[in-house]
């Protein structure tokens, strides 16, 4: 059953008593839908709710949303609303400004960073100079500011947020709304989103209930026609019912259109869609209006005056008699806030029915009114342009710059694209389209970037511009599942850059190296290394060169970079992109503590300047996992999955699921681990994304180990290698060797596993990292004959380097302790088993805790029955909240750090206190200090 069907299934009976609506349009045939709406906005609601109201134009979405507003206001509760429009879709944060305009005075109560980010996004800097120099607001900070504001506004009473025609809401505002929907759990806030059927609504395409507004039943359609001022009869009625196909607006408007005809009139002929018919009907209404009314309607159709008072000054006042004929014709409605079209189809019909010259004059008139709104003015001038115009193109370029500084990448790219269309010179057109392609990469819309790149090729023969546009396409392709196609494109860009000795060569190779890692394809490594030989050494390109070498071949060419990493990181001088690249290099080379520290620093920089790229953040999660920071790893995975799912970045989402699956398996949650791993495998082609495939198999194997199912574990670990014993993935497969050996010993596959391990060791060669050396030695110890095992165990535990990877070190101690006990060297076994148990407890690795305790009992020591520390019993998010609260941060400060509302933080703490055996916040530091220190020692 679809989400929308579920939303409707339980509400077929009459609605329960609820809020009383103020008088409004009669709603016929929507009893189940009204009941659903009532249940969402009940005055006593204490939790959040998101509902997507979906249907064709004219199906009645707006009527139902208006009803929800009237019902809510009838109880004295607060409502915030916005209505999308095509003309404002290119304007970053226009929808958010419309929604928040009535509550802008409340921004003063936000924390300073949130308030600054939101004011910048809304274009509310204190003066023009501040607006020009303000940093690009962090998208997450903007979202958090709205979340905090909404939480504060819902404190006195539940809050309703209504967004109609969401398919036309600008992307920046839609991203904020998606953030709000995901993070407002526990808040008494209802979000109703009206959207046209089949429209793409990024961030809301899955995971939310949908109320599908379908056609009216035959009985309801007839009842609606009976309620019209002049009810149609006979063949006219039959024709209306047939042509309207249950669409309420079509029923009403066709009845209105035929009211003055003969009762048996034939109506509108032809197989046109209902919407086209309705636009024709509305246009016919307009033709009979007075000239002054038509001019006013066209001016209204060309603008959206709700949050542009300057534009509204060019319109007649609501009380002016010029609107009366349009209102009598059913085209507009008037209320205390002004005049608005009764339906978006009316706006469309009015606008497109007018000759271009009239539309042009309307846009020019609006542009004259918008001297203080440069972005809106630029778009109106562009709409009025009849030929290339350098001044208008320049105005749009300035608009793009402002949008970029506010984080509105989609708006910036759209402005650059239109600026290119209006530029008189083909060379400038190509350059602007290339700029637009670079900017559109951040929207995740591959089709758009490809279209812009095609425009560059049509207008220019300049290899540099064509290469830029192609590189933009390739960068976006890397985030999708089709890695072969992405590498082919990036390789072509690199070839062309090599011929012209362009610095773009290194950029192309850096993107190609990402594809190489994802795919694991050996021929891609060879191609990258051949091209890299043509890149001269330079200080400016050192970080990118390190990136390319390490990502392409960490155990070969990249291994020599390890000693230089601290110097390169210091030279990065806090630049977020370089820090992130070098942190990834450190992780690939198994410099785990250095990687984690650098990721921590990079995260701080990205939070100040923009979100961390999803494809790179996953490496941070793996570094945290390997270092024993499992809660942090899960938090990274959750954040990536959330962002990637909303953006349609399947590979990044799959990586996040494998990361979470691995932690879940280690924590002893095998069912949940399998679910996450299988979701990852479903998102990618295993032959195109070998990294994800092997990571998922490793997680599935660990889940089987947690359950004691070593047959399944061996099969999953063995899948990390080809039938001949080669590595499926050059970086991930070696990390499975020790686990494969452990499962093989238990299931009688010792000899084939030993051959496979030695084959892999020869492949890794002298460039093998310290971590891989320890894993290989552990595997050799497990697979060796008893008389040769001990020297490998000792090698696997030699030195302090292994303490960087606490879980793996504890596994080796456990294995060695078991071996010693079976050799009747019980006294030597006990300290190893005790040390392993301590680590497993600190990490919360329940299956390994149980195994270590069983071995200790066999060694004559009854381990105490203490469960993992109280902190490990909490969710990753709860652990973060507890740590911050223990350090004295307020709920609001914690919320700002974790992108939660203060109320959600308080709710988590309320639920956590009983689990920790405390009753007051002041007890946190004292009672949790030992647990926090123990967790920290594992990190």
């Amino acid at each position: 059953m679809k989400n929308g069907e579920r939303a409707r299934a339980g509400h077929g009976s009459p609605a329960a008593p609820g809020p009383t609506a103020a008088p409004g349009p009669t709603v016929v045939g929507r009893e189940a839908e009204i009941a659903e709406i009532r249940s969402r906005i009940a005055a006593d609601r204490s939790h959040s709710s998101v509902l997507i109201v979906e249907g064709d134009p004219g199906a009645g979405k707006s009527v139902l949303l208006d009803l929800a507003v009237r019902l809510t206001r009838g109880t004295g509760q607060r409502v915030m609303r916005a209505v999308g429009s095509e003309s404002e879709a290119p304007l970053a944060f226009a929808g958010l400004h419309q929604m928040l305009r009535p509550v802008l005075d409340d921004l003063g109560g936000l924390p300073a960073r949130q308030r600054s980010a939101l004011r910048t996004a809304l274009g509310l800097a204190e003066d023009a100079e501040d607006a020009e120099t303000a940093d690009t607001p962090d998208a997450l900070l903007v979202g958090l500011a709205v979340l905090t504001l909404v939480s504060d506004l819902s404190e006195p009473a539940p809050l309703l947020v209504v967004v109609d025609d969401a398919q036309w809401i600008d992307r920046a505002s839609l991203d904020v709304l998606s953030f709000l929907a995901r993070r407002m759990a526990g808040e008494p806030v209802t979000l109703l989103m009206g959207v046209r059927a089949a429209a793409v609504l990024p961030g809301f395409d899955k995971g939310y209930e949908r109320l599908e507004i379908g056609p009216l039943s035959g009985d309801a359609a007839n009842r609606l026609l009976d309620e019209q001022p002049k009810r149609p009869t006979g063949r006219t009625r039959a024709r209306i019912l047939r042509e309207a196909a249950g669409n309420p607006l079509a029923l009403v408007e066709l009845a209105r259109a035929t009211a003055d005809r003969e009762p048996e009139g034939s109506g509108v002929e032809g197989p046109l869609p209902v919407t086209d018919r309705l636009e024709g009907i509305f246009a016919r209404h307009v033709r009979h209006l007075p000239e002054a009314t038509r001019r006013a309607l066209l001016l209204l159709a060309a603008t959206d005056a709700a949050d542009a008072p300057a534009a509204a000054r060019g319109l007649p006042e609501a009380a002016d008699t010029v609107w009366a004929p349009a209102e009598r014709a059913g085209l507009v409605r008037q209320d205390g806030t002004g005049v608005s079209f009764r339906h978006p189809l009316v706006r469309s019909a009015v606008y497109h029915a007018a000759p271009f010259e009239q539309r042009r004059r309307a846009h020019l008139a609006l542009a004259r009114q918008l001297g203080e709104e440069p972005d809106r003015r630029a778009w109106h001038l562009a709409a009025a342009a009849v030929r290339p115009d350098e001044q208008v193109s320049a105005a749009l370029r300035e608009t793009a710059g402002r949008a970029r500084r506010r984080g509105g990448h989609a708006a910036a790219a759209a402005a650059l694209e239109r600026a290119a269309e209006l530029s008189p010179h083909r060379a400038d057109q190509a350059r602007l389209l290339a700029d637009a392609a670079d900017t559109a990469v951040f929207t995740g819309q591959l089709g758009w970037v490809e279209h812009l790149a095609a425009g560059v090729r049509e207008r220019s023969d300049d290899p540099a511009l064509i290469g830029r546009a192609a590189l933009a396409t390739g960068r976006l392709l890397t985030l999708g599942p089709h890695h072969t196609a992405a590498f082919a494109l990036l390789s072509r860009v690199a070839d062309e850059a090599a011929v012209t000795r362009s610095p773009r060569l290194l950029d192309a190779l850096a993107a190609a190296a990402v594809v190489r890692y994802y795919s694991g394809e050996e021929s891609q490594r060879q191609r990258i290394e051949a091209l890299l030989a043509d890149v001269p050494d330079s200080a400016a390109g050192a970080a990118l060169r390190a990136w390319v070498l390490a990502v392409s071949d960490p155990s070969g060419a990249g291994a020599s970079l390890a000693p230089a990493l601290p110097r390169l990181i210091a030279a990065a001088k806090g630049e977020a992109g370089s820090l992130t690249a070098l942190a990834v290099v450190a992780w690939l080379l198994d410099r785990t503590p250095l990687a984690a520290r650098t990721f921590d620093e990079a995260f701080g920089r990205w939070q100040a300047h923009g979100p961390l790229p999803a494809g790179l953040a996953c490496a941070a999660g793996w570094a945290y996992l390997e270092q024993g920071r499992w809660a942090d790893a899960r938090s990274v995975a959750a954040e990536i999955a959330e962002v990637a799912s909303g953006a349609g970045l399947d590979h990044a989402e799959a990586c996040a699921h494998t990361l979470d699956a691995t932690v879940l398996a280690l924590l002893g949650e095998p069912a949940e681990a399998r679910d996450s791993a299988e979701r990852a495998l479903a998102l990618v082609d295993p032959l195109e994304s070998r990294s994800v495939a092997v990571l998922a198999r490793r997680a599935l194997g660990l889940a089987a180990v947690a359950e004691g199912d070593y047959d399944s574990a061996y099969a999953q670990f063995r899948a990390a290698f080809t039938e001949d014993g080669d590595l499926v993935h050059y970086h991930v497969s070696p990390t499975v060797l020790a686990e494969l050996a452990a499962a093989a010993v238990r299931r009688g596959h010792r000899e084939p596993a030993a051959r496979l391990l030695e084959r892999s060791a020869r492949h890794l060669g002298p460039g093998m990292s310290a971590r891989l050396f320890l894993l290989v030695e552990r595997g050799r110890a497990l697979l060796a004959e008893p008389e040769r095992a001990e020297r490998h165990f000792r090698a696997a535990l030699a030195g302090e380097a292994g303490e960087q990877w606490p879980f793996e070190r504890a596994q080796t101690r456990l294995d060695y302790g078991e071996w010693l006990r079976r050799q009747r060297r019980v006294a030597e076994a006990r300290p190893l088993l005790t040390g392993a148990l301590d680590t497993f407890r600190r990490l919360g690795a329940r299956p390994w805790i149980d195994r270590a305790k069983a071995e200790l009992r066999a060694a004559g020591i009854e381990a105490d029955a203490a469960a993992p520390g109280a902190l490990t019993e909490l969710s990753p998010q709860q652990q973060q909240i507890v740590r911050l609260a223990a350090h004295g941060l307020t709920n609001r400060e914690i919320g700002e750090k974790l992108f939660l509302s203060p109320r959600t933080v308080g709710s988590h703490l309320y639920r956590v206190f009983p689990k920790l055996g405390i009753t007051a916040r002041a007890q946190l530091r004292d009672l949790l200090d030992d647990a926090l220190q123990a967790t920290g020692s594992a990190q």
Side-chain angles (χ1 to χ4, degrees):
M1 183 181 290
K2 297 179 181 178
N3 286 339
E5 291 169 343
R6 283 197 300 270
R8 295 177 62 178
H11 298 282
S13 58
T20 301
T26 301
V27 184
V28 175
R30 299 297 190 197
E31 289 77 17
E33 290 85 349
I34 293 172
E36 180 66 28
I37 294 290
R38 284 182 178 273
S39 73
R40 302 283 175 157
I41 61 173
D44 60 348
R45 66 188 189 278
S46 58
H47 56 83
S48 67
S49 177
V50 179
L51 182 66
I52 313 299
V53 182
E54 181 180 71
D56 290 326
K61 304 182 298 297
S62 297
V63 172
L64 288 170
L65 295 177
D66 286 345
L67 175 64
V69 170
R70 296 199 310 276
L71 289 169
T72 302
R73 285 179 173 158
T75 64
Q77 299 176 49
R78 200 163 198 170
V79 177
M80 293 197 303
R81 69 185 307 181
V83 180
S85 66
E86 290 176 283
S87 63
E88 292 205 347
L91 299 172
F93 298 109
L96 188 63
H97 189 286
Q98 185 187 155
M99 186 179 87
L100 298 182
R101 189 181 179 206
V103 296
L104 291 179
D105 290 342
D106 294 291
L107 298 190
L110 295 174
R113 290 178 66 229
Q114 295 180 29
R115 182 175 63 251
S116 176
L118 184 54
R119 288 181 62 84
T120 301
L122 297 178
L124 299 177
E126 298 300 331
D127 53 45
E129 183 177 349
D130 288 345
E132 291 296 322
T133 60
D135 288 337
T136 299
D138 180 359
L140 289 177
L141 265 182
V142 175
L144 180 58
V146 175
L147 175 63
T148 304
L149 180 63
V150 164
S151 177
D152 291 346
L153 292 172
S154 66
E155 186 71 34
L159 176 69
L160 174 65
V161 180
V162 173
V163 180
D164 200 2
D165 284 319
Q167 72 278 356
W168 290 328
I169 291 289
D170 64 278
R171 181 60 186 269
S173 297
L174 199 60
D175 287 344
V176 172
L177 289 166
S178 175
F179 180 95
L180 177 66
R182 294 191 301 269
R183 297 299 182 111
M184 66 184 191
E187 305 288 346
V189 179
T190 296
L191 174 60
L192 301 180
M193 303 278 288
V195 62
R196 285 192 174 183
V200 176
L201 201 60
F204 292 92
D205 53 346
K206 53 186 174 181
Y208 298 106
E209 284 193 313
R210 307 184 89 82
L211 181 62
E212 297 175 2
I213 312 300
L216 292 175
S217 66
D219 175 67
N222 274 294
R223 282 191 284 128
L224 182 58
L225 288 179
D226 287 339
E227 293 189 2
Q228 299 313 302
K230 188 172 182 180
R231 59 187 294 269
T233 58
R235 288 192 298 170
T236 300
R237 186 184 184 96
R239 175 66 186 233
I240 291 172
L241 289 168
R242 183 171 67 252
E243 297 291 343
N247 183 285
L249 184 62
L251 287 163
V252 170
E253 297 306 328
L254 288 171
R256 186 191 301 272
T258 58
D260 298 326
R261 295 173 179 268
E262 291 298 320
E264 297 298 305
S266 61
V268 183
E269 297 287 348
L272 296 175
V274 168
T275 52
D276 289 344
R277 296 176 188 276
L278 290 175
E279 288 186 2
I281 291 168
F282 295 139
R284 190 160 58 248
H285 283 317
V286 172
R287 284 197 295 271
H288 299 295
L289 295 176
E291 175 64 24
T293 302
R294 292 203 303 272
R295 285 199 304 269
L297 281 173
L298 181 55
L299 202 60
L300 181 63
T303 189
D304 290 279
D307 59 333
R313 288 199 295 270
L315 294 169
E317 294 293 333
D320 199 299
T321 56
V322 74
W323 296 113
E327 188 171 21
R328 286 196 298 270
L331 300 175
V332 300
R333 58 187 169 201
Q334 301 185 65
D335 55 32
T337 61
V339 180
S340 60
F341 284 107
R342 203 161 49 81
H343 191 274
L345 289 175
V346 183
R347 180 190 301 276
S348 178
V350 168
Y351 185 82
H352 291 291
F356 173 75
E357 184 55 34
Q358 292 181 15
R359 297 201 302 268
R360 179 173 179 273
R361 287 199 296 268
H363 284 295
L364 289 173
L366 290 166
R368 287 192 293 271
Q369 296 289 331
L370 290 165
E372 298 177 359
E373 296 275 355
D375 294 338
R376 297 175 186 279
R377 180 177 182 275
W379 278 105
H380 280 298
L381 290 172
V386 294
R387 61 182 62 86
D389 188 316
E390 179 57 35
Q391 287 186 327
V392 178
S393 179
L396 286 168
R397 294 197 295 272
E398 293 174 2
T399 288
R402 284 188 289 270
R404 265 196 299 245
R405 288 191 292 274
R406 294 163 57 194
H409 298 296
L416 287 168
E417 183 178 19
R418 183 64 174 135
E421 294 169 356
L422 291 174
S423 178
H425 308 295
R426 289 179 65 84
D428 291 339
Q429 293 171 13
R431 177 180 53 78
L432 289 168
L433 288 173
D435 291 343
D438 284 338
T439 305
V441 167
F442 296 100
T443 71
Q445 298 179 40
L446 178 60
W448 189 11
V449 175
E450 289 176 328
H451 170 75
L452 293 167
V456 175
R457 292 192 299 272
E458 290 171 4
R459 291 165 174 81
S460 177
D461 296 326
D462 183 351
L465 284 178
I466 294 172
R468 269 184 63 202
L471 181 56
T473 305
R475 282 174 172 159
L476 203 49
L477 276 174
T478 64
L479 302 179
H482 305 299
H483 300 312
T484 301
F487 189 86
L489 175 59
L490 291 166
S491 181
R492 188 164 64 250
V493 173
D495 280 335
E496 294 167 355
V499 170
T500 60
R501 298 188 176 277
S502 166
R504 195 172 55 255
L505 172 57
L506 197 53
D507 292 330
L509 291 178
V514 176
V515 182
R516 148 70 173 162
Y517 185 86
Y518 290 163
S519 70
E521 177 58 48
E522 175 63 14
S523 63
Q524 293 177 0
R525 178 193 66 79
Q526 296 168 356
R527 183 78 181 120
I528 289 170
E529 290 188 358
L531 287 165
L532 193 61
D534 294 331
V535 180
D537 289 328
S538 69
L544 268 184
R545 178 180 281 274
W547 164 269
V548 173
L549 287 170
V551 174
S552 301
D553 187 14
S555 64
S560 62
L561 294 169
L565 273 177
R567 174 179 54 80
L568 291 171
I569 290 169
K573 300 184 187 302
E575 201 281 314
S578 296
L579 281 174
T580 303
L582 290 168
V584 173
V585 171
W587 169 68
L588 289 167
L589 300 182
D590 288 324
R591 297 288 301 273
T592 306
L594 178 62
R597 287 196 303 272
T598 309
F599 274 125
D600 287 341
E601 184 179 353
F603 277 5
R605 300 290 177 179
W606 281 111
Q607 285 182 358
H609 298 289
L612 180 68
L616 306 182
C618 214
W622 289 112
Y624 294 155
L625 182 149
E626 291 159 10
Q627 199 184 24
R629 295 167 57 177
W630 291 359
D632 290 339
R634 290 203 70 193
S635 295
V636 168
E639 189 69 32
I640 296 171
E642 187 174 47
V643 172
S645 175
L649 306 177
D650 287 352
H651 188 91
E653 183 181 357
C655 182
H657 288 317
T658 62
L659 173 59
D660 201 44
T662 304
V663 183
L664 286 167
L666 297 176
L667 290 171
E669 303 288 350
E672 291 84 348
R674 277 194 298 273
D675 180 64
S676 288
E678 287 163 1
R679 287 170 67 188
L681 289 172
L683 285 166
V684 298
D685 178 348
L687 297 179
E688 288 267 337
S689 301
R690 293 183 181 90
S691 60
V692 164
V694 177
L695 288 167
R697 295 298 177 191
R698 186 177 72 177
L700 289 168
L702 289 169
V705 169
E707 294 180 312
D709 181 1
Y710 291 101
D711 282 324
S712 296
Y714 180 81
Q716 295 293 350
F717 294 141
R718 183 62 181 78
F721 305 87
T722 67
E723 188 175 345
D724 295 334
D726 291 330
L727 305 174
V728 169
H729 190 272
Y730 62 96
H731 180 246
V732 185
S733 292
T735 67
V736 182
L737 288 168
E739 299 294 351
L740 175 68
V745 169
R746 286 171 171 78
R747 305 316 304 163
H749 302 301
R750 186 185 302 265
E751 290 187 7
R755 288 195 298 271
L756 188 151
L757 185 146
E758 295 305 327
R759 183 186 183 110
S760 298
R762 287 193 298 274
H763 174 83
L764 292 170
M768 187 188 309
S769 71
R771 179 189 175 212
L772 289 182
F773 173 80
L774 298 178
L775 290 176
V776 167
E777 286 299 305
R778 177 191 168 212
R780 284 169 170 161
L782 291 167
L783 295 168
E785 296 299 327
E787 63 274 13
R788 291 196 294 272
E790 187 162 20
R791 67 185 179 93
H792 293 298
F793 275 128
R794 289 185 178 276
L797 289 172
E800 298 297 318
E803 300 300 332
Q804 300 174 71
W805 308 286
F807 179 74
E808 292 168 4
R809 173 57 57 105
Q811 283 182 300
T812 305
R813 286 191 175 114
L814 176 58
D815 291 336
Y816 189 21
E818 287 178 340
W819 184 87
L820 287 170
R821 184 186 63 77
R822 290 181 179 123
Q823 301 301 311
R824 301 183 184 279
R825 295 161 60 182
V826 176
E828 296 174 71
R830 287 170 178 167
L832 289 166
L833 295 173
T834 300
L837 177 60
D838 288 344
T839 299
F840 293 143
R841 277 179 169 165
R842 288 198 301 269
L843 296 173
R846 293 179 182 83
W848 286 266
I849 291 170
D850 294 340
R851 186 176 144 203
K853 288 166 63 176
E855 283 297 323
L856 275 169
R857 283 195 297 271
I861 296 178
E862 187 62 39
D864 64 74
L871 190 63
T872 64
E873 298 290 337
L874 307 180
S875 72
Q877 189 176 73
Q878 289 173 333
Q879 291 184 39
Q880 289 180 303
I881 291 171
V882 166
R883 287 192 183 100
L884 294 171
H887 284 86
L889 274 70
T890 66
N891 288 1
R892 187 173 290 269
E893 291 168 337
I894 295 170
E896 186 165 358
K897 283 184 173 292
L898 301 184
F899 300 100
L900 299 170
S901 74
R903 185 180 302 175
T904 299
V905 173
S907 177
H908 276 299
L909 288 172
Y910 178 80
R911 292 194 297 270
V912 160
F913 281 9
K915 296 180 182 179
L916 301 178
I918 62 176
T919 58
R921 194 186 191 101
Q923 298 173 276
L924 277 174
R925 178 177 287 276
D926 292 338
L927 295 184
L928 293 184
D929 189 54
D930 291 341
L932 290 169
Q933 288 178 1
T935 303
S937 66
Q939 298 175 5

